């Protein structure tokens, strides 16, 4: 097996691929809200808000085509993949900090196959999905021949229970043939522990990095950890509210991988953490300009930046748990 394909020099900065989802969010007080988003919209919105050229490839039912309007106008291209159904997930949060939730699939779009994805040049192809079955089985192999891949493992681990629809982790036995095709890999702590059997976030990152991805992101509520060939990098999250908690991982991963094409790891990570911290204050996908993110950096991350606006994340690591 060959490694990841070289990064194209022109075209889109990001090609985001995944289903649109109608989220029904119920907070710890029992209040319900309906938000049109899902990983694909949240990821595309984050990259576009930072000024990156984004193409979205999104699965949804034909009768729900109006949901495509929820992609921000800054997303340069939106390709609809016809499905019999549109995905919908109910998230019931058990705590006020929204770190514990039970997610139930109410419906699921048909799988997206590589043939559904236009062969447009992109600096990174981002598989931004929700649950097992969102993609055809061979999509990672097929797309890896086109260019660099970014994969959020959420969509390869969370599987609807056949009886209840509750999303639970499935066994995942893929090895280097799968992971070695991926440039950027993301897990949260629970996903990483399930995949590796390790409880420490650094050990999770090491175990996954050893399987082949060039850069591994491990997220939790407090900070984002990156492991690349040069070592660990970490940056805190500093949200001013939690109303926009849903879509946190999709936003920070998308912001990081698109910033990474032009910036060092630490600078890309810092911008990504500011981007998602800003997003977490408001429900739904991020809608802002890059100037808003820069303002957030100035207000809440000034202590981490030097006079030139750079930062060395290797000096700010936590204990990794």
């Amino acid at each position: 097996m060959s490694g990841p394909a070289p990064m194209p020099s022109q075209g889109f900065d990001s090609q985001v691929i995944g289903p649109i989802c109608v989220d029904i969010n119920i907070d710890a007080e029992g209040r319900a809200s309906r938000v049109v988003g899902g990983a694909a919209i949240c990821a595309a919105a984050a990259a576009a808000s930072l000024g990156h050229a984004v193409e979205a490839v999104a699965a949804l039912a034909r009768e729900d085509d109006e949901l495509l309007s929820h992609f921000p106008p800054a997303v340069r291209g939106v390709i609809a993949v016809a499905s019999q159904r549109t995905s919908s997930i109910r998230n019931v949060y058990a705590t006020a900090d929204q770190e514990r939730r039970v997610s139930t699939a109410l419906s699921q779009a048909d799988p997206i196959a590589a043939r559904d994805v236009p062969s447009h040049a992109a600096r990174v192809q981002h598989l931004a999905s929700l649950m097992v079955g969102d993609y055809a089985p061979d999509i990672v192999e097929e797309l890896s021949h086109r260019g660099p891949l970014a994969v959020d493992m959420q969509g390869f681990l969370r599987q609807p229970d056949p009886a209840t629809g509750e999303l639970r982790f499935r066994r995942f036995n893929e090895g280097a043939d799968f992971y070695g095709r991926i440039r950027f890999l993301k897990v949260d702590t629970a996903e990483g522990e399930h995949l590796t059997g390790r409880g420490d976030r650094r050990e999770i990152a090491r175990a996954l990095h050893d399987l082949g991805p060039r850069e591994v992101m491990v997220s939790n509520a407090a900070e984002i950890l990156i492991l690349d060939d040069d070592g660990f990098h970490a940056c805190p999250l500093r949200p001013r509210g939690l109303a926009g908690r849903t879509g946190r991982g999709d936003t920070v991963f998308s912001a990081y991988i698109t910033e990474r094409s032009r910036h060092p790891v630490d600078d890309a990570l810092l911008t990504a953490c500011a981007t998602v911290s800003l997003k977490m204050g408001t429900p739904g996908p991020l809608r802002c300009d890059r100037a808003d993110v820069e303002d957030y950096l100035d207000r809440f991350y000034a202590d981490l930046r030097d006079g030139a606006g750079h930062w060395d994340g290797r000096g700010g690591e936590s204990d990794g748990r």
Side-chain angles (χ1 to χ4, degrees), residues 74-308:
V75 175
R76 296 194 183 178
V78 178
I79 308 297
V81 179
S83 168
Q84 294 184 44
R85 297 163 298 277
T86 296
S87 293
S88 182
I89 291 177
R90 181 175 63 242
N91 299 299
V92 180
Y93 293 95
T95 57
D97 64 6
Q98 300 193 3
E99 286 308 307
R100 293 176 54 203
R101 66 180 176 180
V102 175
S103 297
T104 302
L106 305 178
S107 62
Q108 183 174 17
D110 297 333
I112 299 173
R115 64 177 177 272
D116 299 318
V117 181
S119 297
H120 297 157
R123 291 179 178 272
V124 64
Q125 300 165 101
H126 180 180
L127 294 183
S129 63
L130 305 163
M131 49 189 152
V132 174
D134 284 345
Y135 301 121
D138 60 353
I139 195 167
V140 169
E141 178 182 0
E142 292 293 324
L143 293 185
S144 69
H145 298 300
R146 300 186 190 180
L149 270 181
V151 174
D152 188 330
M153 287 301 296
Q154 169 179 267
F156 292 84
L157 291 180
R158 298 200 308 173
Q159 188 167 42
D161 181 276
T164 66
E166 183 176 336
L167 295 176
R168 299 175 179 173
F169 292 153
R170 67 160 178 165
R171 293 187 63 182
F172 190 79
N173 298 317
E174 298 286 350
D177 190 59
F178 173 85
Y179 290 104
R181 299 180 185 278
I182 299 169
R183 181 184 175 99
F184 302 101
L185 181 79
K186 179 198 171 290
V187 294
D188 64 20
T189 306
E191 293 161 352
E193 185 171 354
H194 177 78
L195 283 169
T196 67
R198 316 288 177 84
D200 180 273
R201 290 190 304 124
R202 283 191 179 78
E203 291 303 315
I204 289 170
R206 286 191 187 99
L208 293 172
H209 189 261
D210 286 347
L211 290 170
R214 294 276 300 280
E215 298 179 32
V216 175
M217 172 183 286
V218 183
S219 67
N220 75 355
E223 71 173 13
I224 305 299
L225 180 73
I226 298 286
L227 175 61
D228 69 351
D229 292 339
D230 294 328
F232 289 102
H233 313 256
C235 184
L237 299 181
R238 294 177 176 176
R240 313 314 295 170
L242 294 174
R245 161 66 179 85
T246 302
R248 180 181 70 189
D250 312 312
T251 299
V252 73
F253 191 43
S254 178
Y256 175 75
I257 62 177
T258 48
E259 286 292 290
R260 186 68 183 88
S261 66
R262 294 182 176 87
H263 301 283
V265 172
D266 295 313
D267 290 345
L269 179 57
L270 183 63
T271 299
C273 287
T275 302
V276 72
S277 295
L278 173 60
K279 176 261 181 294
M280 289 170 67
T282 306
L286 182 65
R287 291 179 179 270
C288 71
D289 297 321
R290 190 178 186 98
D292 298 310
V293 176
E294 292 293 341
D295 179 66
Y296 202 93
L297 280 163
D298 291 340
R299 293 171 62 196
F300 302 111
Y301 285 89
D303 60 309
L304 298 183
R305 306 175 88 182
D306 62 22

